[in-house]
Amino acid sequence: MIRTLIWALVAFYLLTGLYIAVLPHDFYMNAPGAKETGAYNMHFIRDVGFAFLTSASAIGYGLYAENRALMVFGSLWLLIHGLFHLMLWTVHGMQLDGAALTDAVLVSIPAIAVFSLCLRYRAS
């Protein structure tokens, strides 16, 4: 069960990374709250997409090779990124709007989940 959940999150992060890296302007225009964080910066946005792709690839390869250390290491950027979004939410007064909901559902919760699952993973 844990293995299946991790594969699903790897797929989610690969698709997310591809979307951000290939279509950075679309991501900037469509992600709730993105425009409020500053001016459009294609280079920075693509870097984030590449970070998602790298993390997902490390987790996926670690899962394939049954290397839990690689999986945990691969999930660290996602965790730090997700916790950073939670911190920003608290700093900005914990408003419950579309951007906060998107951050929780698509950024913070999956990041905490994949990190936790990678920590718990035991090769079969």
Side-chain angles (χ1 to χ4, degrees):
M1 178 67 162
I2 288 177
R3 186 176 181 84
T4 302
L5 288 172
I6 295 171
W7 276 125
L9 286 163
V10 165
F12 167 73
Y13 283 121
L14 285 172
L15 291 172
T16 299
L18 281 172
Y19 173 53
I20 295 169
V22 174
L23 299 168
H25 192 261
D26 285 358
F27 172 79
Y28 177 79
M29 297 304 291
N30 295 316
K35 290 180 282 215
E36 289 75 30
T37 63
Y40 173 71
N41 182 329
M42 180 192 64
H43 182 110
F44 175 73
I45 295 170
R46 280 201 166 126
D47 282 349
V48 171
F50 296 144
F52 274 106
L53 289 169
T54 301
S55 289
S57 296
I59 297 165
Y61 184 74
L63 189 57
Y64 171 77
E66 297 192 347
N67 183 331
R68 185 169 64 109
L70 181 57
M71 294 166 60
V72 170
F73 185 75
S75 67
L76 278 176
W77 181 84
L78 298 168
L79 177 67
I80 292 165
H81 178 249
L83 293 176
F84 175 68
H85 276 252
L86 281 178
M87 188 256 333
L88 288 176
W89 180 60
T90 59
V91 166
H92 290 108
M94 301 175 84
Q95 297 174 351
L96 294 175
D97 56 11
L101 182 60
T102 300
D103 270 0
V105 173
L106 297 178
V107 179
S108 299
I109 292 171
I112 294 166
V114 76
F115 180 77
S116 300
L117 290 168
C118 287
L119 280 177
R120 293 186 56 202
Y121 179 73
R122 301 284 182 253
S124 15

